[in-house]
Amino acid sequence: MRIGIVGCAGRMGRMLVNAVLDTDGCVLAGGTERLGSDALDSDLGELVGRDRAGVPVESDARLLFQRSEAVIDFTAPAATLAHAALAAELGRVLVVGTTGLSSDDEGRLREAAERAAIVYAPNFSIGVNLLMALTERASAILADDYDIEIVEMHHRHKVDSPSGTALGLGRAAARGREVALDSVWCKSRDGHTGARPRGEIGFATLRGGDVVGDHTVMFAAEGERVELTHKASNRAVFARGAVRAALWARGQSPGLYSMRDVLGI
Ligand code: NAD
């Protein structure tokens, strides 16, 4: 499968280039970077510290989509929307890992998915997707005298908060209780907040150092607490999951899919 990587010089972009080069049955179709990036025109293999791949980093996403059967996008919301429009126009598989999309942005992704198979997930690790399934199950079993709090920590460069994964875990917990997350969430607390409302789903965000991604879902009641935790120690897990999603999406009808569809959980 010919796979292109947009944002190929980013932290995740470089992992994705390596994952495509290391996966049997995949060919690296090319990579793009934003105009002005120092990485433009460098060789994609050399960019990630490997032998020359003979494919230069370019800025024209349309050319990359034309050459690719699937494109993987871990960039930024505005870029991802432009890429989704190209995937819809050219009928290419798109795998989106970008987080921080607004609900309007997600609506535009859904529109693009009427004409292309798009896999969109806040987290492509298998462990986190298992954590989402366990969270939904636990919140269905534990009634709302168990307070749900979601704590996440990421490296100091992360720009959105709470993390897309924390919000995904919140949605899973809300599904378990058959409520809409945005009717019960509390995304941050400061000052005199008053007592915690029953049924609230709270979030706490920590930032620092080089933490790849830690998430804990707590169910706290009088007298006991259940905690479900996942810790990612290497970004390669997200890249491997995204390549697996691209291979899975080949041959799927247009639609918006999640990593849980890919894993069948
Ligand atoms: P980063 O800033 O290191 O990389 C983003 C790259 O995209 C940069 O190199 C930037 O120049 C490039 N870019 C921006 N606009 C572009 C455009 N129009 N065309 C081409 N390239 C463009 O960030 P990162 O740490 O790699 O994270 C990227 C995104 O992926 C974030 O939203 C992050 O939260 C998300 N992420 C998701 C997962 C997951 O599993 N879903 C895992 C890790 C990170």
Side-chain angles (χ1 to χ4, degrees):
M1 186 179 203
R2 289 189 310 280
I3 301 183
I5 309 296
V6 288
C8 59
R11 278 178 291 267
M12 277 306 302
R14 290 166 196 256
M15 290 286 161
L16 289 159
V17 168
N18 275 312
V20 170
L21 290 171
D22 289 337
T23 305
D24 286 343
C26 293
V27 174
L28 188 61
T32 65
E33 257 303 327
R34 63 184 162 70
L35 283 171
S37 162
D38 292 343
L40 285 177
D41 297 330
S42 51
D43 180 84
L44 262 177
E46 287 175 352
L47 179 76
V48 298
R50 303 172 65 131
D51 292 344
R52 278 184 75 78
V55 191
V57 180
E58 57 197 342
S59 59
D60 190 334
R62 176 176 288 276
L63 286 180
L64 179 64
F65 272 80
Q66 283 168 342
R67 276 206 309 277
S68 306
E69 294 170 85
V71 170
I72 306 182
D73 179 340
F74 284 58
T75 58
T80 293
L81 293 183
H83 295 141
L86 280 172
E89 181 190 328
L90 300 170
R92 299 296 194 265
V93 166
L94 181 65
V95 175
V96 175
T98 307
T99 61
L101 271 67
S102 67
S103 31
D104 280 358
D105 295 342
E106 288 181 342
R108 289 175 59 189
L109 207 56
R110 253 189 303 280
E111 274 170 32
E114 287 167 14
R115 289 192 285 152
I118 300 182
V119 184
Y120 169 50
N123 195 306
F124 278 90
S125 98
I126 294 175
V128 157
N129 285 280
L130 174 65
L131 180 65
M132 293 207 184
L134 294 174
T135 296
E136 183 171 341
R137 181 94 183 101
S139 90
I141 292 170
L142 302 171
D144 65 5
D145 50 337
Y146 285 76
D147 299 324
I148 302 179
E149 292 286 308
I150 299 170
V151 183
E152 57 107 335
M153 179 160 188
H154 281 86
H155 53 87
R156 60 166 70 107
H157 303 289
K158 185 159 180 64
V159 293
D160 52 320
S161 147
S163 71
T165 302
L167 292 169
L169 289 164
R171 266 190 294 279
R175 257 197 316 277
R177 287 197 170 161
E178 298 181 357
V179 294
L181 177 62
D182 59 5
S183 65
V184 294
W185 66 12
C186 174
K187 292 204 275 185
S188 64
R189 298 189 183 95
D190 183 28
H192 187 85
T193 58
R196 186 186 201 285
R198 196 179 174 96
E200 185 170 86
I201 296 181
F203 292 86
T205 298
L206 312 180
R207 291 286 176 266
D210 61 355
V211 177
V212 172
D214 293 356
H215 293 88
T216 295
V217 183
M218 296 186 190
F219 297 85
E222 299 275 341
E224 68 171 355
R225 186 161 86 234
V226 179
E227 296 186 2
L228 303 174
T229 295
H230 177 271
K231 295 184 178 185
S233 49
N234 189 323
R235 287 186 178 82
V237 292
F238 309 128
R240 282 198 300 268
V243 172
R244 182 167 169 174
L247 289 166
W248 174 88
R250 174 158 57 175
Q252 298 289 335
S253 322
L256 191 59
Y257 300 98
S258 73
M259 195 56 184
R260 284 173 72 176
D261 295 319
V262 175
L263 298 174
I265 53 175

